[in-house]
Amino acid sequence: MMREEKNLETIPVGPLGIICLPSCKALGDKINSYIVDWRMKRENEHTATLPFNGYLKDSYLVDAKVPRFGSGEGKGIINQSVRGDDLYILTDVTNYSLTYSLCGFTNHMSPDDHFQDLKRVIAAVGGKARRITVIMPFLYESRQHKRTGRESLDCALALQELTNMGVENIITFDAHDPRVQNAIPLKGFETVTPAYQFIKSLLQKETITVDSDHMMIISPDEGGTSRAVYYSNVLGLDLGMFYKRRDYSRIVNGRNPIVAHEFLGSSVEGKDCLVIDDMISSGESMLDVAAELKKRKARRVFLASSFGLFTNGLEKFDQYYQDGMIDRILTTNLIYQTPELLKKPYYINVDMSKYIALIIDTLNHDTSISELLDPIERINRILMKYGQKK
């Protein structure tokens, strides 16, 4: 059954409202446009009835602000009624491009600042909404998800804090460790993988042959093996894995330095290699993996990551591209992308706005999103479209 028909079988939970914090404005505008367009085109005799009140709007974006005082303190303001609404709040905790004034100094917003703003907006709702869902593509503090010593468990605390404030569902993408949802076992937690969007974007931009003789999936470390196994099984490709051999006798910059990247798997010679990971932070590991693959005579190297943080800039990526070590980098628009990154000849921007709009539209109708979370059918269709599968 088509998504449109399934949605219209159920009454919406409440009038749809989307709050896009400033960190997610560009993405939120695209999501809103999709939903407005879909609902205007739907033919349904019930849209004029009371349960569908507020179903058709010119915009579902809620007017919400998070201003700050000169001291750097802030507050959340909602300038319209949200009583009874089914609210979806979008935030990008990694967007460092936003600034605020602190006693005359200009501060760039950190993940902590964005998380506080999210809580301020939830507090401003004041429990009047029918339901609150937080869409946080990059899960706040997701790399601090387990203890290795006497450490804080920041991600678990953040999830509990949100649910204690009345949040019913949290939707994130490619969580560093999905088991962190154990911190809130009675609330909704979904971690979504952009596998279909990566494959579609690569097929659109590059001429590739998706079979085990011409292509291979690579995991850059042991932690991402399950992610790479999924891609290899869905696409029918061989899997290779690198593991980081570290020097545990010393600590440099808070971690044990990597001595070498060891490879496990069949030969990559003459094959296109798709390296899959959840995030590119400094990028050192991914670039080291790309260099190792080229040493092993890989044909082309594509780096795909849900989140392109590029914390150390793009100079090293430029150099590796010029040296022929990498051919393409794919990251999503789930987090902030610099104008410089978008202009790079090797960069492929993977747009996730339509996918998020589908999730919001489906959840607003209180319909299962299981089919959206499992993209195997859509992957098979796109492979057939490009002649990669019969």
Side-chain angles (χ1 to χ4, degrees):
M1 188 176 290
M2 296 296 289
R3 174 185 56 81
E4 303 275 342
E5 297 171 358
K6 290 182 70 174
N7 276 354
L8 293 176
E9 284 181 354
T10 55
I11 296 172
V13 173
L16 176 60
I18 302 173
I19 297 178
C20 291
L21 292 176
S23 58
C24 254
K25 188 179 185 307
L27 180 64
D29 288 341
K30 286 185 176 181
I31 292 168
N32 178 61
S33 296
Y34 276 116
I35 297 176
V36 169
D37 185 54
W38 293 336
R39 293 194 171 186
M40 288 297 180
K41 290 179 179 177
R42 282 181 190 153
E43 296 180 3
N44 184 13
E45 58 184 341
H46 302 295
T47 53
T49 61
L50 187 61
F52 280 80
N53 181 41
Y55 188 75
L56 299 178
K57 294 180 181 178
D58 294 329
S59 174
Y60 297 95
L61 297 176
V62 174
D63 183 11
K65 309 289 183 188
V66 192
R68 287 183 180 265
F69 301 100
S71 61
E73 298 167 295
K75 63 177 177 179
I77 303 173
I78 296 178
N79 294 315
Q80 66 186 73
S81 174
V82 292
R83 186 178 292 275
D85 283 4
D86 184 22
L87 283 183
Y88 295 81
I89 307 176
L90 283 80
T91 184
D92 171 17
V93 298
T94 68
N95 192 338
Y96 60 88
S97 69
L98 301 179
T99 60
Y100 63 92
S101 177
L102 173 60
C103 299
F105 296 95
T106 299
N107 268 15
H108 285 265
M109 292 189 69
S110 70
D112 291 343
D113 291 319
H114 287 297
F115 187 66
Q116 286 299 118
D117 281 354
L118 170 63
K119 292 193 292 182
R120 289 178 178 117
V121 168
I122 296 170
V125 172
K128 302 301 187 293
R130 180 72 53 84
R131 182 176 68 180
I132 297 177
T133 299
V134 168
I135 300 178
M136 187 186 295
F138 186 96
L139 187 60
Y140 174 71
E141 290 288 1
S142 56
R143 286 189 281 184
Q144 187 52 32
H145 61 285
K146 65 180 181 180
R147 278 200 178 112
T148 55
R150 193 168 293 281
E151 300 175 339
S152 58
L153 288 171
D154 295 56
C155 190
L157 285 172
L159 293 177
Q160 290 181 353
E161 201 167 359
L162 291 177
T163 55
N164 288 339
M165 293 183 74
V167 174
E168 286 295 322
N169 301 298
I170 296 171
I171 297 173
T172 189
F173 286 78
D174 231 342
H176 196 63
D177 187 344
R179 290 174 295 182
V180 75
Q181 66 186 293
N182 292 336
I184 49 168
L186 300 181
K187 298 294 182 180
F189 181 96
E190 301 292 350
T191 177
V192 187
T193 174
Y196 166 73
Q197 286 78 11
F198 277 139
I199 295 165
K200 179 181 178 181
S201 297
L202 190 57
L203 287 168
Q204 287 175 338
K205 298 292 184 179
E206 291 287 335
T207 302
I208 57 175
T209 302
V210 184
D211 63 39
S212 57
D213 294 327
H214 299 87
M215 196 171 181
M216 197 166 175
I217 300 295
I218 305 294
S219 173
D221 54 39
E222 60 276 19
T225 305
S226 60
R227 187 181 298 105
V229 166
Y230 176 82
Y231 280 83
S232 66
N233 287 341
V234 169
L235 298 175
L237 303 177
D238 289 336
L239 172 68
M241 186 197 84
F242 284 88
Y243 72 90
K244 300 169 185 174
R245 187 151 54 87
R246 295 180 181 272
D247 180 1
Y248 288 99
S249 65
R250 59 198 181 99
I251 295 177
V252 178
N253 294 328
R255 62 181 181 177
N256 302 106
I258 298 170
V259 177
H261 287 84
E262 305 289 355
F263 182 69
L264 301 174
S266 57
S267 173
V268 301
E269 185 173 351
K271 295 182 180 179
D272 292 333
C273 293
L274 179 60
V275 185
I276 299 289
D277 207 359
D278 60 337
M279 71 179 74
I280 296 175
S281 184
S282 66
E284 290 180 6
S285 293
M286 291 285 265
L287 292 175
D288 287 346
V289 165
E292 291 292 331
L293 290 171
K294 283 294 185 178
K295 284 181 186 177
R296 290 167 171 80
K297 300 181 181 179
R299 179 168 174 256
R300 289 182 294 179
V301 176
F302 307 116
L303 307 181
S305 179
S306 299
F307 308 109
L309 300 173
F310 302 105
T311 54
N312 290 355
L314 298 170
E315 291 79 9
K316 202 167 183 181
F317 292 90
D318 294 341
Q319 188 62 52
Y320 270 63
Y321 175 68
Q322 292 169 10
D323 294 343
M325 295 293 182
I326 58 174
D327 294 271
R328 289 286 198 169
I329 295 178
L330 299 88
T331 68
T332 69
N333 64 339
L334 291 169
I335 63 172
Y336 172 67
Q337 300 159 300
T338 63
E340 180 189 7
L341 174 65
L342 295 172
K343 293 176 183 176
K344 295 297 181 183
Y346 53 80
Y347 182 66
I348 298 177
N349 178 21
V350 181
D351 186 12
M352 298 295 294
S353 56
K354 187 175 182 180
Y355 191 24
I356 298 176
L358 280 169
I359 292 172
I360 291 175
D361 193 29
T362 305
L363 285 176
N364 181 235
H365 277 271
D366 214 16
T367 304
S368 172
I369 60 172
S370 297
E371 292 181 7
L372 294 176
L373 299 179
D374 187 5
I376 292 177
E377 286 187 16
R378 284 176 294 147
I379 291 173
N380 288 333
R381 284 199 299 268
I382 200 70
L383 289 173
M384 285 189 285
K385 179 180 176 180
Y386 285 89
Q388 302 296 328
K389 195 169 186 177
K390 296 180 180 179

